[in-house]
Amino acid sequence: FHNPNCADGRHTITHLFEWKWSDIAQECERFLGPYGYCGVQVSPPNENRVVTSPNRPWWERYQPVSYKLVTRSGNDQQFRDMVDRCNRQNIRIYVDVVMNHMTGSGGSGQGTGGSQWDGNSLSFPGVPFSSWDFNDASTCSTSDLNIHNYQNVQEVRNCRLVSLLDLRLSKDYVRTKVTEYLNYLIDIGVAGFRFDAAKHMWPEDLRVITGQLKNLNTKYFPSGSKPFIYQEVIDMGNEPIKMSEYFGTGRVTNFIYGAKLSPVFRNQNQAKWLVNWGEGWGMPSSTDVIVFIDNHDNQRGHGAGGAVLTFRDSRRYKMATAFMLAHPYGFTRVMSSYYWDVNYVNGNDANDWIGPPTNGDMSIKDVIVNSDLSCGNGWICEHRWRQIYNMVAFRNVVFGTSLVNWWDNGNYQIAFSRGNKGFIVFNLESYNLNTRLQTGLPAGQYCDVISGNYDNGACTGSSVIVSSDGTANFYIPASAEDPMIAIHIGAKV
Ligand code: QV4
Ligand code: CA
């Protein structure tokens, strides 16, 4: 379950948060395929609760009503069309799977696919699940059945996360229904899963469920391929539940990564310390994690909290993302967001619930793409920023090489090579960088893929001359639009 199942030479996924399936299908064809991405994490595709107060928040999709593929992103047929068209472009689809719980307690109604649900009687006929299929006072010991104490493992896994009705995954019937859903997606042709709220599920239950999964569809994957699984476990080191409990069933989301890298690129912790970034900072082994700067939760103060860099600090965010993509540690995920107006009230964003850009009938707006590759209609499309997509290509070119030729100025200027294939320099000082450095690269002229592109054998931005001894002079003004330079053998003039 640790292998992402990327097509050859592709090593990064992007989370197209709240995109419609029809837009993702087009994006695979017009951008993700040609620009070297491996795949897409999609929002939960299964039927969810329709929340109208507030009006259609993004988080309604984390309240399942059934496993029918009908949401504001599209229906079953549109989902299948996306998976097929993306796979044909060598782009993989990873599904966000919510199987810890169903809707919040209380309330009732119809889901996005028309199924009835009742959060009072714990009735979900669209699956079907009934009150027998949920944890209750016999398994959860808090008086309101909600989780209050994250130091109590039993409580975290058997009680309700923010009142969400907690499925009894120890029961064969519940495991079977969830497994049917996952195998249904595998048959369609997805490459793997994000397990939402994995911390709230017992590793043993996940072991049984993943043991019943089919191999991937041989229309798109070599026979015998297992789904890629990455499990959402927020482990900042201060709770009894550890990431390592989940390595048997796949990788985990490494939230320490963005939390510790962001302060460096905010000039709150010297960049020179990144010399042993990765396992050296007490993080799990590289092949057990997926890494990212921000995710859909912590970019709005949910989940692990709001201390991470996001698109709103674009200059620092591009640098942190470039560092992530240049560095060998972990399997990389690039966040792709939509815009919303923040409104801080007592330190919290009162608008943290706002859903994706919508039309008057609350359907999700199309993603518009402009000739400069940027997006419109409220979609931020970080994955289309030049400094980011060129570093996705950098990672593909240098993949498998080790980090060598580390250099730093003892403070906020750093540089390193990836074998003899790529080199990157960062200047986070308030003064200019002007230094000769060993790049490890063959002599020649290289395009700086940060300030421009490699286009028809020429550089649209600045270029770097590497001499026969492998050294080159680097000049990065503190005031540069992006105070970093990256070169690699795939962009040599
Ligand atoms: C509220 C109160 C409850 C109260 C209840 C009464 O908080 O105390 O009992 O009303 O009805 C939404 C609301 C939340 C509401 C809840 C139930 O925001 O206020 O409870 O619904 O109606 C997302 C959002 C949540 C949202 C949830 C379901 O972040 O705010 O809750 O979707 O719609 C921990 C976990 C980690 C989790 C993270 C956010 O360990 O697993 O918190 N991250 C994942 C997802 C995340 C998602 C969930 C888990 C749940 O990444 O996006 O939560 O599927 O760290
Ligand atoms: Ca649970």
Side-chain angles (χ1 to χ4, degrees):
F1 307 120
H2 287 63
N3 177 352
N5 299 310
C6 297
D8 282 352
R10 297 173 183 264
H11 300 282
T12 300
I13 62 172
T14 181
H15 179 196
L16 299 181
F17 180 50
E18 286 277 9
W19 281 43
K20 291 191 291 187
W21 309 149
S22 54
D23 281 325
I24 294 176
Q26 289 185 67
E27 190 69 353
C28 288
E29 293 165 349
R30 71 191 166 197
F31 189 82
L32 300 172
Y35 283 81
Y37 280 88
C38 158
V40 182
Q41 177 183 317
V42 300
S43 285
N46 63 299
E47 176 171 22
N48 61 264
R49 175 183 192 168
V50 177
V51 174
T52 50
S53 175
N55 199 11
R56 309 307 302 266
W58 62 270
W59 47 254
E60 70 172 35
R61 297 185 70 167
Y62 291 91
Q63 300 199 24
V65 164
S66 82
Y67 301 125
K68 293 174 188 141
L69 303 188
V70 190
T71 61
R72 282 202 291 173
S73 284
N75 61 26
D76 189 287
Q77 181 266 319
Q78 290 162 323
F79 183 84
R80 287 169 187 275
D81 181 60
M82 167 187 73
V83 171
D84 183 59
R85 287 165 62 190
C86 289
N87 274 323
R88 286 172 194 276
Q89 301 300 319
N90 281 324
I91 299 297
R92 307 311 189 198
I93 299 295
Y94 304 89
V95 172
D96 195 348
V97 173
V98 186
M99 57 176 168
N100 172 66
H101 52 262
M102 300 299 279
T103 66
S105 67
S108 63
Q110 259 183 22
T112 49
S115 306
Q116 299 294 326
W117 62 275
D118 189 329
N120 300 299
S121 60
L122 280 54
S123 164
F124 296 87
V127 179
F129 283 140
S130 70
S131 59
W132 301 102
D133 302 318
F134 293 87
N135 284 314
D136 58 19
S138 71
T139 44
C140 160
S141 54
T142 64
S143 55
D144 60 359
L145 297 180
N146 287 336
I147 300 170
H148 301 283
N149 178 10
Y150 274 81
Q151 299 301 321
N152 182 333
V153 173
Q154 207 57 39
E155 184 173 328
V156 172
R157 289 178 172 151
N158 287 348
C159 300
R160 297 171 180 171
L161 170 62
V162 293
S163 95
L164 300 162
L165 297 173
D166 202 62
L167 284 167
R168 197 183 284 251
L169 285 164
S170 57
K171 245 186 100 170
D172 269 343
Y173 175 76
V174 178
R175 289 171 174 172
T176 301
K177 285 293 151 188
V178 166
T179 307
E180 280 171 9
Y181 170 48
L182 299 179
N183 280 332
Y184 184 80
L185 295 166
I186 286 174
D187 284 342
I188 291 175
V190 308
F193 307 109
R194 168 191 186 264
F195 282 177
D196 180 71
K199 180 196 279 185
H200 304 278
M201 301 187 281
W202 294 93
E204 171 61 12
D205 294 340
L206 296 179
R207 196 187 59 76
V208 174
I209 289 166
T210 54
Q212 294 167 348
L213 295 180
K214 294 184 169 183
N215 290 334
L216 299 184
N217 188 329
T218 53
K219 184 173 175 197
Y220 309 113
F221 301 94
S223 71
S225 302
K226 299 275 174 213
F228 179 46
I229 293 173
Y230 53 104
Q231 303 159 95
E232 191 226 8
V233 180
I234 303 179
D235 171 10
M236 308 305 280
N238 52 4
E239 291 173 21
I241 296 178
K242 301 293 174 206
M243 288 188 254
S244 57
E245 295 173 56
Y246 293 86
F247 296 161
T249 43
R251 299 198 187 211
V252 296
T253 50
N254 180 0
F255 280 89
I256 297 172
Y257 192 98
K260 295 223 165 144
L261 196 58
S262 295
V264 173
F265 285 91
R266 279 203 176 99
N267 289 80
Q268 295 161 346
N269 188 16
Q270 288 167 303
K272 68 168 182 179
W273 301 119
L274 295 174
V275 61
N276 65 343
W277 180 246
E279 290 92 345
W281 281 50
M283 299 191 286
S285 105
S286 178
T287 50
D288 282 329
V289 294
I290 83 150
V291 296
F292 46 90
I293 306 300
D294 58 331
N295 84 339
H296 71 282
D297 283 329
N298 63 18
Q299 69 169 204
R300 44 178 55 72
H302 285 229
V308 292
L309 286 167
T310 71
F311 66 86
R312 292 178 199 274
D313 280 303
S314 60
R315 191 166 179 260
R316 294 181 188 280
Y317 186 69
K318 285 180 280 183
M319 294 180 88
T321 304
F323 179 86
M324 172 180 85
L325 292 167
H327 194 279
Y329 181 83
F331 183 67
T332 44
R333 179 178 66 190
V334 170
M335 180 66 200
S336 189
S337 317
Y338 58 79
Y339 181 81
W340 78 99
D341 280 317
V342 290
N343 174 22
Y344 284 103
V345 180
N346 301 323
N348 294 319
D349 176 12
N351 286 345
D352 67 349
W353 59 272
I354 290 182
T358 46
N359 304 302
D361 62 357
M362 293 311 279
S363 61
I364 297 178
K365 272 194 182 166
D366 292 343
V367 174
I368 292 180
V369 294
N370 305 314
S371 56
D372 67 356
L373 296 183
S374 67
C375 294
N377 260 353
W379 302 95
I380 305 285
C381 291
E382 295 93 314
H383 71 287
R384 279 173 165 264
W385 295 0
R386 183 188 67 242
Q387 300 84 345
I388 293 179
Y389 68 69
N390 275 341
M391 288 307 296
V392 167
F394 178 109
R395 189 175 193 77
N396 292 344
V397 168
V398 305
F399 197 79
T401 64
S402 45
L403 191 159
V404 287
N405 296 319
W406 176 270
W407 169 85
D408 63 63
N409 73 337
N411 199 30
Y412 275 107
Q413 294 176 343
I414 59 169
F416 61 89
S417 309
R418 291 294 305 276
N420 55 3
K421 294 185 169 173
F423 186 74
I424 190 163
V425 196
F426 296 88
N427 181 16
L428 283 154
E429 298 283 8
S430 52
Y431 55 88
N432 302 347
L433 177 150
N434 196 350
T435 314
R436 204 159 184 90
L437 296 170
Q438 177 56 251
T439 68
L441 298 189
Q445 183 180 350
Y446 295 83
C447 299
D448 167 25
V449 297
I450 300 297
S451 59
N453 288 322
Y454 173 68
D455 188 20
N456 279 317
C459 307
T460 65
S462 63
S463 58
V464 172
I465 312 282
V466 173
S467 57
S468 54
D469 65 355
T471 65
N473 195 72
F474 291 90
Y475 174 64
I476 308 178
S479 62
E481 182 183 343
D482 298 300
M484 54 180 169
I485 290 176
I487 56 177
H488 63 77
I489 57 168
K492 192 171 180 220
V493 180

